[in-house]
Amino acid sequence: MQEILSVQNLKKQFKLSYKQQRLQRTPQKMLTAVDGLSFTAYKGEIFGLLGPNGAGKTTTLRMLATLITPDSGDAIIDGCSVVRQPDEVRSRIGFLTGELKLEDFFTPDYLFNFFSDLYGVPENVRAVRKRELFSRFGIDRFAEVKLANLSTGMKQKVSLVISVVNDPDFIIFDEPTNGLDVLTAKTVTDFLLELKSQGKTIILSTHIFSLVEKICDRVGIIIDGKLAALGTVSEITGEKNLEDVFFDIYAARAGGTL
């Protein structure tokens, strides 16, 4: 297998405000969101990061996407360092996050063209990809409708399409099906599997056990910023199901309580 991602002892801390300290009932002034995380991913696989809210999944993906800089450690994506070569990394990846807030007064057509220009996608290639992707996700009927007038599911589809406007071989999805209705979630899941069949590498974070079991080749369970388990679903679960094993691991990390 060809290694395309090497995460090397990533660490990230954030300063807590006094209000945050009170809300979290902690005297600590710093929060360690990611604590020495290391793992690899291979070409053509879907690698899942599974964990509860606040586990460090989003922070990890934001470091991989070069949106924030690690305090220490590094990640090498297709031979490029997120620390030393962030511009090169950005040109090679796609990134979808629930925190992506597209302006409501823009249309899907305008946004696709805008992000295509940012990535330097030639106009003839752009036209073909727009036609294919808009048709695939049913966006073509709403291409000139402002986002403010689109449903939540359709907005998610637009965000998904924009995240792969440059046809990247390495794609990062942060909770790609979170909050979606079952039909839209299936459309997104099927698309992820199609991208995998094209030989693309997908890194996704989720807290949905069934999604991991259905599409992930390997999974890393992350709790309190640390990797608690790593392997295929069958390697991690043995004779149990993923949900039961996850809560066993979580309880052990929490000192025997949930």
Side-chain angles (χ1 to χ4, degrees):
M1 293 187 292
Q2 179 185 344
E3 181 178 294
I4 194 170
L5 168 68
S6 175
V7 177
Q8 306 166 354
N9 201 32
L10 280 184
K11 186 171 184 177
K12 186 65 181 180
Q13 293 182 310
F14 297 102
K15 185 176 181 180
L16 295 175
S17 67
Y18 177 69
K19 182 177 180 180
Q20 289 172 320
Q21 287 177 277
R22 291 185 60 190
L23 289 173
Q24 298 186 24
R25 298 180 180 178
T26 176
Q28 302 297 323
K29 295 183 178 181
M30 300 295 295
L31 169 68
T32 301
V34 177
D35 192 3
L37 200 62
S38 298
F39 62 90
T40 57
Y42 302 98
K43 181 176 176 60
E45 82 166 345
I46 300 179
F47 183 96
L49 276 179
L50 175 67
N53 291 339
K57 304 187 303 296
T58 294
T59 299
T60 298
L61 297 192
R62 292 183 70 189
M63 285 190 283
L64 296 184
T66 74
L67 297 181
I68 57 177
T69 304
D71 294 329
S72 60
D74 200 353
I76 309 301
I77 298 178
D78 197 18
C80 298
S81 162
V82 301
V83 175
R84 300 186 304 276
Q85 300 163 288
D87 290 341
E88 186 66 25
V89 169
R90 291 183 199 117
S91 71
R92 298 183 181 210
I93 69 171
F95 180 54
L96 174 66
T97 173
E99 296 177 354
L100 178 62
K101 304 300 181 185
L102 300 173
E103 294 293 345
D104 278 346
F105 51 83
F106 290 135
T107 66
D109 188 73
Y110 174 87
L111 288 168
F112 193 94
N113 292 339
F114 175 79
F115 282 94
S116 293
D117 286 340
L118 284 182
Y119 280 103
V121 179
E123 288 191 17
N124 60 326
V125 176
R126 172 195 311 177
V128 172
R129 282 191 61 73
K130 184 195 296 184
R131 183 167 60 251
E132 291 176 348
L133 290 170
F134 276 28
S135 175
R136 164 75 186 254
F137 289 99
I139 302 172
D140 43 3
R141 295 173 294 161
F142 306 94
E144 299 298 339
V145 178
K146 292 182 179 180
L147 259 65
N149 298 319
L150 297 181
S151 68
T152 299
M154 186 56 65
K155 288 179 181 178
Q156 178 75 345
K157 291 178 182 179
V158 173
S159 297
L160 177 63
V161 164
I162 288 172
S163 73
V164 295
V165 69
N166 57 328
D167 195 19
D169 289 327
F170 187 92
I171 309 164
I172 302 168
F173 289 132
D174 187 13
E175 302 280 4
T177 62
N178 193 31
L180 299 182
D181 65 83
V182 292
L183 294 178
T184 304
K186 186 180 187 312
T187 300
V188 172
T189 300
D190 289 346
F191 185 58
L192 298 183
L193 291 171
E194 182 178 315
L195 292 174
K196 174 191 170 181
S197 73
Q198 296 171 8
K200 300 181 185 297
T201 302
I202 299 169
I203 310 296
L204 67 87
S205 74
T206 185
H207 60 271
I208 303 174
F209 300 109
S210 60
L211 179 63
V212 172
E213 291 172 322
K214 182 176 181 180
I215 71 171
C216 290
D217 297 286
R218 291 187 304 130
V219 59
I221 295 178
I222 181 172
I223 297 173
D224 293 333
K226 296 181 179 181
L227 201 62
L230 175 65
T232 65
V233 172
S234 60
E235 287 171 344
I236 291 175
T237 59
E239 298 298 320
K240 297 183 177 181
N241 63 55
L242 183 58
E243 183 175 1
D244 289 342
V245 169
F246 173 82
F247 285 117
D248 286 345
I249 293 172
Y250 187 85
R253 289 275 177 152
T257 59
L258 289 177

